[in-house]
Amino acid sequence: TLFRSFEVPDGTNFLKGVRWSPAGGCLLTASDDNLLRVFSLPNDYLSTEWETLSQTAVDSMVAAASHSEGVAELHCTSSAKAGETIFDFCWYPYATDSEGCFLSTSRDHPIQLWDANNGALRCSYRAYNHLDEIATAYSLAFNADGTKIFAGFNQMIRIFDTATPGRDHEDRATVSTRRGEGQKGIISSIAFCPAHRGLYAAGSYARSTCLYSEGDGQLYAYLEGQKGGVTQVKFSADGNYLFTGGRQDPFIHCWDIRNTCSTVFQMQRVCTTNQRLAFDIESCGRHLITASEDGTILVYDLSQFGALAGQFSLHRDAINGVSVHPFLPLIATASGQRHFDLSDDESDETVSSTTLTADSRKENSIKVWKTGFIRESYMIQAEENTSITEPSGGTVVHEISVTGEVICSSNDDQSMMIENANITMHS
């Protein structure tokens, strides 16, 4: 069920991802206009014990949020203006809804720490190249306790002390200068293992993923197999599996970090461009939800070796961001991509037809959905009190029940709202 929505007003602008805050009360987005926007969720939904409610009670709460004229707005509470194109952003791991902050990195600018409440710049972390020019970071991640910032550069990972802004940092080259061995290319994504402290993964646009020691940077494993440059790495909830996705690559790979000889399984999506398409895993670890270029999200059951559990058509344009709420049955999606007008050499009739088709597909919006399958997973885990991330074999997965009524939006044009989500079920 569509819960809340926000549409970027400029038709040439588009979103570049969305992420829930660790406390679950805010959403953080980046867009092509170099703005980082923070949206707040109503407090009454945060205080509700959703897992104890019956489905009828949940539906009643959702209906109570409805407005007669359509879907209510998701309001932007603060924003921060980056100096150039935004490459990556992330929340401080212990950010609260009242005192939150987040990092961002943009072209030819230092890493910047922003206040989530008012969009003010708190401090910056600077790295310089051999010409004493600002070096651009392409990926960011806090370590588990938030005391260090790990930033990905070209064949380099630099580590900053969170409490010490400025230019002091540690350099860790990912390629040996003597032999030329190691992880080449731009480090495009960094993720820390939630279960095994001191272990993190780094993906590269050179199509490789490596496992490193946080303490001394020792290389533990070198993984290859992605067809395109790696754009995201993420560990499973139990820390035993690593998931990697790439650009111009239709597959998300699952690796067992205890045996990295080959992938455990692959999950498919539509990804034919260089755009970064995100995926996320619910906190109990059962489902992986991925964005797709065709405007759908795909849900895979990790307990069934990545069997496809559902496919939901939620946006007209490409979905580039998907984020699962840390404890509520909510999913946030962000849509949009850069559209090029290639009609200069075509006839007027063809130009008109092409432009109409492109304009009708454009959709640059953030939407929050209430989902039944995440709530079901939480209830199953609570009843069994066991981990459900370890594959158990077989191919049959439980059915997913999701309704498609629109209950919240900020679109002025009500005809653009999704009143019934197209759902493909698998069992």
Side-chain angles (χ1 to χ4, degrees):
T1 303
L2 183 57
F3 181 68
R4 288 183 177 264
S5 178
F6 171 84
E7 180 125 355
V8 177
D10 186 0
T12 61
N13 192 17
F14 62 92
L15 292 158
K16 293 184 174 181
V18 59
R19 293 178 185 176
W20 286 105
S21 63
C26 300
L27 281 169
L28 175 62
T29 68
S31 52
D32 195 50
D33 58 1
N34 305 331
L35 270 180
L36 295 142
R37 295 179 175 89
V38 178
F39 301 86
S40 295
L41 197 65
N43 292 329
D44 53 342
Y45 289 91
L46 292 175
S47 60
T48 301
E49 298 293 336
W50 287 60
E51 67 276 7
T52 63
L53 297 178
S54 65
Q55 187 60 46
T56 302
V58 172
D59 292 340
S60 298
M61 284 188 61
V62 170
S66 300
H67 288 218
S68 59
E69 65 274 14
V71 182
E73 291 186 17
L74 184 66
H75 292 285
C76 177
T77 55
S78 66
S79 63
K81 180 70 173 180
E84 256 287 357
T85 301
I86 299 170
F87 288 130
D88 199 8
F89 59 97
C90 68
W91 285 98
Y92 177 67
Y94 296 102
T96 63
D97 296 333
S98 59
E99 296 182 0
C101 59
F102 57 88
L103 283 175
S104 74
T105 177
S106 57
R107 180 187 294 135
D108 299 329
H109 281 72
I111 300 167
Q112 296 173 313
L113 183 69
W114 304 92
D115 191 307
N117 295 323
N118 54 28
L121 179 64
R122 288 191 177 182
C123 60
S124 61
Y125 306 85
R126 302 185 300 275
Y128 293 85
N129 59 21
H130 63 287
L131 299 175
D132 205 34
E133 300 170 335
I134 289 287
T136 301
Y138 295 91
S139 56
L140 297 169
F142 283 98
N143 64 350
D145 57 14
T147 58
K148 301 290 183 180
I149 299 169
F150 282 65
F153 294 79
N154 186 19
Q155 300 185 162
M156 179 78 67
I157 295 175
R158 291 185 167 99
I159 305 171
F160 298 85
D161 190 324
T162 307
T164 311
R167 62 184 301 167
D168 293 336
H169 60 268
E170 176 188 351
D171 290 344
R172 291 184 182 176
T174 58
V175 176
S176 171
T177 55
R178 293 183 178 180
R179 301 179 181 179
E181 298 176 350
Q183 189 174 23
K184 299 179 181 179
I186 293 172
I187 305 301
S188 55
S189 180
I190 300 174
F192 282 82
C193 184
H196 308 293
R197 288 296 181 98
L199 177 68
Y200 72 94
S204 166
Y205 283 140
R207 306 177 184 180
S208 65
T209 302
C210 290
L211 298 176
Y212 293 101
S213 165
E214 178 185 343
D216 57 7
Q218 179 183 354
L219 176 63
Y220 287 145
Y222 185 91
L223 311 176
E224 285 185 304
Q226 215 76 46
K227 294 182 179 179
V230 178
T231 56
Q232 185 179 357
V233 294
K234 189 175 182 65
F235 285 93
S236 62
D238 62 6
N240 291 329
Y241 297 90
L242 177 68
F243 300 90
T244 62
R247 59 187 184 183
Q248 297 189 46
D249 191 337
F251 294 104
I252 296 173
H253 295 253
C254 173
W255 304 85
D256 189 335
I257 66 172
R258 299 162 294 186
N259 181 10
T260 58
C261 295
S262 61
T263 57
V264 181
F265 55 83
Q266 297 176 350
M267 294 162 286
Q268 194 167 6
R269 60 180 178 176
V270 179
C271 183
T272 62
T273 68
N274 285 329
Q275 187 176 24
R276 187 189 295 254
L277 303 183
F279 60 86
D280 201 5
I281 301 173
E282 59 184 356
S283 58
C284 67
R286 178 162 189 167
H287 294 106
L288 181 146
I289 301 96
T290 178
S292 189
E293 192 181 318
D294 58 358
T296 65
I297 63 168
L298 298 102
V299 182
Y300 290 95
D301 192 328
L302 302 181
S303 68
Q304 303 294 334
F305 289 96
L308 181 62
Q311 180 175 342
F312 309 97
S313 179
L314 304 181
H315 293 266
R316 295 190 311 277
D317 210 340
I319 298 178
N320 53 66
V322 59
S323 183
V324 182
H325 196 278
F327 55 88
L328 295 181
L330 301 175
I331 293 179
T333 57
S335 66
Q337 62 180 321
R338 181 173 284 108
H339 292 272
F340 297 95
D341 185 5
L342 304 177
S343 57
D344 292 343
D345 299 331
E346 299 177 357
S347 65
D348 292 341
E349 183 177 351
T350 305
V351 169
S352 177
S353 175
T354 304
T355 304
L356 181 61
T357 302
D359 289 343
S360 63
R361 188 189 173 195
K362 284 183 182 179
E363 182 190 355
N364 307 315
S365 64
I366 310 158
K367 295 185 177 180
V368 180
W369 307 83
K370 190 272 292 183
T371 64
F373 64 89
I374 291 182
R375 182 171 180 269
E376 180 182 349
S377 296
Y378 292 162
M379 294 178 68
I380 291 175
Q381 187 183 38
E383 292 175 359
E384 298 179 352
N385 196 27
T386 58
S387 173
I388 55 177
T389 57
E390 193 79 18
S392 59
T395 58
V396 179
V397 297
H398 67 283
E399 291 189 356
I400 295 174
S401 175
V402 177
T403 57
E405 299 90 1
V406 177
I407 58 173
C408 302
S409 178
S410 66
N411 302 341
D412 294 332
D413 183 2
Q414 298 300 323
S415 64
M416 297 173 64
M417 300 177 188
I418 300 175
E419 295 186 353
N420 289 286
N422 298 323
I423 302 175
T424 304
M425 299 307 306
H426 298 262
S427 61

